[in-house]
Amino acid sequence: MSFFERNGVLIGTYLILAVGFWTIVTIIMPMVFMVDLSFRPKLAPSQVGGPLDEYTLKNYRYFLFGSSTSAESWNTIHIRAFFVTIVASIILTLVNFAICYPIAYYMAQAATLKKLRIVLLLLIIPYWVNDILRAFAFRILLSENGFVNSVLDLMGLAGAPFDFLGANVGLYMALCYSHLLIMIFPLYNAIESQDHNQIEAARDLGAPWWHIHLFVVMPHAKPGIASGMTLCFMLTAGAVATPMVLGGPRSLWFTPIVYDRFYQLFDWPQGAAYAFILLLACIVFVLTVLKISGLKLGEITR
């Protein structure tokens, strides 16, 4: 009743219906369909719903063992790609936090209003360029004949030209850069809400700078840290275009494999199974972050 008193009956009803429609139609229904499809065999359209359309674990078994009939022959390529993606996404999320935390702290607690506007413009303007163009820009900069290798060659550094793309340096740089704002703004919102007098009091009592950040600022900013890390990890692990553009010949990223299941092999049930496995990994990561931070899910959405 208080919700309708604050917003009015008309607006309140509209908000409930709009959110309910959005949640059911664009989130719950596609997920339920994907999970159901992941337990179905690959069939011709005319056979869907027929006697051969039965639930099976074949798609998940393929992820573990490939086309082999032996349970001892692991599908090492896909399993390795999955774990490389998860581990790399966790590391890139931590790197993003290390880069963004000082910027967010400066914006929230140190910058004047004029400097804050300048920093916000410098952060936002580059993101007017879409992900595909940014990925190709990184490819041009880091190619063997690109700008970075040309500079290294002029400096006379040994080893130039360096294969940045083959070593996945370009991929990791682009993924990290693409999600800077996703990390900065939750951190900024959390740190900005802290009373600056608490920081000054800790400084007056002789606390070193690392002690202030570790025991004063970060505990207060835990919801922003958890929110930023969750979003950054999920977007990094689920990136498709950037790994396809910047992945080297030896690159193993899980999302292009999922993409191939759908659009190269046209095996939608297997693609759904692979996508659901990645979704489960993201859910486990979110729950782990909440467990470590001691937060509830609702707290990171404030």
Side-chain angles (χ1 to χ4, degrees):
M1 293 303 296
S2 60
F3 174 78
F4 286 105
E5 290 175 358
R6 291 195 306 271
N7 299 283
V9 176
L10 183 61
I11 300 298
T13 303
Y14 167 77
L15 291 174
I16 292 175
L17 292 177
V19 172
F21 177 83
W22 173 268
T23 303
I24 295 173
V25 175
T26 67
I27 299 176
I28 296 177
M29 289 180 62
M31 290 299 174
V32 171
F33 175 76
M34 184 187 72
V35 173
D36 179 76
L37 184 63
S38 71
F39 291 99
R40 300 283 185 174
K42 180 184 178 182
L43 299 171
S46 59
Q47 295 177 313
V48 174
L52 297 178
D53 192 5
E54 298 178 347
Y55 287 107
T56 176
L57 293 174
K58 179 181 178 181
N59 299 313
Y60 294 94
R61 188 186 184 283
Y62 189 92
F63 171 75
L64 294 175
F65 307 111
S67 57
S68 173
T69 57
S70 172
E72 298 178 357
S73 179
W74 297 95
N75 187 0
T76 54
I77 295 178
H78 291 181
I79 294 174
R80 180 169 174 263
F82 174 76
F83 283 105
V84 166
T85 299
I86 297 302
V87 173
S89 297
I90 293 174
I91 294 173
L92 290 175
T93 299
L94 296 175
V95 171
N96 245 346
F97 173 73
I99 295 172
C100 296
Y101 177 80
I103 300 173
Y105 179 82
Y106 173 79
M107 292 167 56
Q109 294 290 342
T112 62
L113 183 59
K114 182 178 179 180
K115 291 181 179 179
L116 176 60
R117 291 173 178 171
I118 294 173
V119 173
L120 286 173
L121 283 175
L122 292 176
L123 289 172
I124 293 173
I125 288 176
Y127 286 86
W128 291 355
V129 180
N130 64 54
D131 285 341
I132 299 293
L133 291 178
R134 283 203 301 268
F136 277 106
F138 272 100
R139 189 173 186 87
I140 294 171
L141 287 173
L142 298 173
S143 64
E144 290 190 4
N145 298 319
F147 175 78
V148 175
N149 271 315
S150 298
V151 172
L152 294 177
D153 186 52
L154 289 174
M155 295 172 64
L157 295 178
F162 183 79
D163 189 8
F164 290 104
L165 299 178
N168 290 327
V169 174
L171 172 61
Y172 297 147
M173 287 179 62
L175 287 173
C176 189
Y177 175 78
S178 296
H179 305 132
L180 286 176
L181 292 186
I182 301 297
M183 181 70 76
I184 284 179
F185 284 119
L187 289 175
Y188 167 75
N189 288 333
I191 298 173
E192 194 270 339
S193 65
Q194 184 170 29
D195 188 354
H196 190 71
N197 290 326
Q198 295 177 344
I199 300 173
E200 289 297 327
R203 187 176 290 118
D204 292 341
L205 291 172
W209 64 270
W210 62 268
H211 193 283
I212 293 173
H213 288 284
L214 191 60
F215 296 106
V216 178
V217 180
M218 288 187 183
H220 177 83
K222 277 199 303 184
I225 295 173
S227 177
M229 285 191 168
T230 298
L231 292 172
C232 187
F233 170 83
M234 296 184 74
L235 291 174
T236 302
V240 178
T242 302
M244 293 180 71
V245 173
L246 289 169
R250 297 181 300 276
S251 174
L252 279 178
W253 204 260
F254 194 64
T255 46
I257 295 176
V258 179
Y259 178 89
D260 288 342
R261 305 297 102 184
F262 283 106
Y263 296 110
Q264 296 297 328
L265 301 178
F266 297 102
D267 193 339
W268 283 59
Q270 193 176 106
Y274 276 44
F276 185 57
I277 291 170
L278 184 60
L279 175 63
L280 287 178
C282 292
I283 292 174
V284 170
F285 178 83
V286 172
L287 296 177
T288 303
V289 170
L290 294 176
K291 182 68 175 179
I292 294 174
S293 62
L295 297 171
K296 295 181 180 179
L297 184 61
E299 293 180 275
I300 68 174
T301 61
R302 291 179 181 175

